[in-house]
Amino acid sequence: MKGLNYWNHNVAYYDLIKKKVSNRKKILDVGCGDGGLIKYLINPYNEIVGIDPSNDCIRKSINDVASDENIKYYCTSFENYYPINEVYDSIIFVASIHHMDMENSIKKAKDLLNKDGILIIIGLYKPSTLLDWTIELLRVIPCSISSFLHKNKPSEVIGIPTSYDFPQMSKVRSIIRKNLPGAKLRLGLYYRFILTWTK
């Protein structure tokens, strides 16, 4: 993939995200890590802001794209991020929303979205229902094969802070029903849920 020298279960969703935001000008990547997604999405027509509470991640991201004026990075949590007179055409969380209060973060993201703006969440979770567990088991073999072929490098291996305190899928569904009417939610191959919602 463009600008990336590794693959993992987050990178696996970058093509899907790129298709969703191809015509979006102002994009916010929440929990941007080492800036991999931003480097993959950037083009001459969009502007991307990446935020992350890790100094090391932000430093690496800036070093990689220091000459690109269309990218801005801020070392901050989403909770403490208060852009002045800024709204976005797309806000993206990739494996980051479980690091924060999910419901409050969704409410804040809604406020920061333009009309017709799109929210994308690629999230981790713990199975809750029999169907969740069935899907979990069915994807083990194909996911393992794909991970081996792609030489999977998990986030912690490449120096991105990780948390394994995932929410129960029942809680995720409850929060989404309450706060994001009409949202599209499905379970992906690589142990993630995929949520898209248009304001």
Side-chain angles (χ1 to χ4, degrees), residues 13 138-140 142-143 146 186-192 194:
Y13 293 97
L138 287 174
R139 62 189 178 182
V140 168
C143 186
S146 181
R186 63 187 177 90
L187 303 185
L189 174 61
Y190 297 102
Y191 308 109
R192 308 287 191 267
I194 304 162

Side-chain angles (χ1 to χ4, degrees), residues 23 25 54 86 139 149 179:
N23 62 344
K25 179 173 175 57
S54 167
E86 289 282 352
R139 62 189 178 182
L149 293 175
N179 296 281

Side-chain angles (χ1 to χ4, degrees), residues 10 30-31 93-99 121-124 155 161 163 192:
N10 295 328
V30 181
F93 297 79
V94 176
S96 61
I97 203 163
H98 69 281
H99 288 258
I121 301 175
I122 308 296
L124 294 107
S155 293
S163 168
R192 308 287 191 267

Side-chain angles (χ1 to χ4, degrees), residues 4-199:
L4 298 175
N5 57 7
Y6 64 86
W7 182 96
N8 60 33
H9 294 167
N10 295 328
V11 174
Y13 293 97
Y14 285 6
D15 278 337
L16 181 152
I17 295 169
K18 190 170 188 174
K19 290 175 183 176
K20 297 286 185 184
V21 303
S22 61
N23 62 344
R24 308 285 171 160
K25 179 173 175 57
K26 297 189 71 173
I27 299 170
L28 175 65
D29 183 5
V30 181
C32 63
D34 65 354
L37 175 61
I38 293 175
K39 286 175 283 199
Y40 189 61
L41 296 180
I42 195 67
N43 63 52
Y45 311 105
N46 63 18
E47 302 169 12
I48 307 182
V49 173
I51 64 172
D52 198 288
S54 167
N55 278 304
D56 289 341
C57 285
I58 292 297
R59 190 179 303 113
K60 184 178 186 307
S61 301
I62 291 173
N63 288 341
D64 284 350
V65 293
S67 63
D68 199 319
E69 296 179 355
N70 288 349
I71 301 176
K72 295 179 182 177
Y73 288 107
Y74 299 100
C75 186
T76 180
S77 66
F78 188 49
E79 179 184 18
N80 293 321
Y81 179 62
Y82 294 101
I84 299 174
N85 299 322
E86 289 282 352
V87 286
Y88 298 93
D89 301 311
S90 180
I91 297 178
I92 305 167
F93 297 79
V94 176
S96 61
I97 203 163
H98 69 281
H99 288 258
M100 55 196 86
D101 183 295
M102 183 177 182
E103 186 161 17
N104 287 339
S105 297
I106 284 175
K107 289 177 179 178
K108 184 168 185 174
K110 288 170 66 177
D111 290 339
L112 290 176
L113 275 174
N114 268 321
K115 185 179 182 300
D116 298 321
I118 184 170
L119 172 65
I120 301 173
I121 301 175
I122 308 296
L124 294 107
Y125 66 95
K126 295 175 184 174
S128 299
T129 66
L130 178 59
L131 178 59
D132 293 344
W133 280 109
T134 301
I135 292 172
E136 193 82 0
L137 291 172
L138 287 174
R139 62 189 178 182
V140 168
I141 292 176
C143 186
S144 298
I145 293 172
S146 181
S147 297
F148 174 77
L149 293 175
H150 285 96
K151 300 179 180 178
N152 179 38
K153 289 186 178 179
S155 293
E156 57 267 34
V157 172
I158 56 176
I160 297 175
T162 58
S163 168
Y164 291 92
D165 185 17
F166 309 146
Q168 291 284 337
M169 195 62 203
S170 57
K171 181 178 180 181
V172 173
R173 291 186 176 106
S174 176
I175 290 172
I176 291 168
R177 281 194 299 267
K178 180 180 176 182
N179 296 281
L180 299 173
K184 296 179 181 178
L185 175 68
R186 63 187 177 90
L187 303 185
L189 174 61
Y190 297 102
Y191 308 109
R192 308 287 191 267
F193 69 82
I194 304 162
L195 178 143
T196 57
W197 178 79
T198 303
K199 186 171 180 178

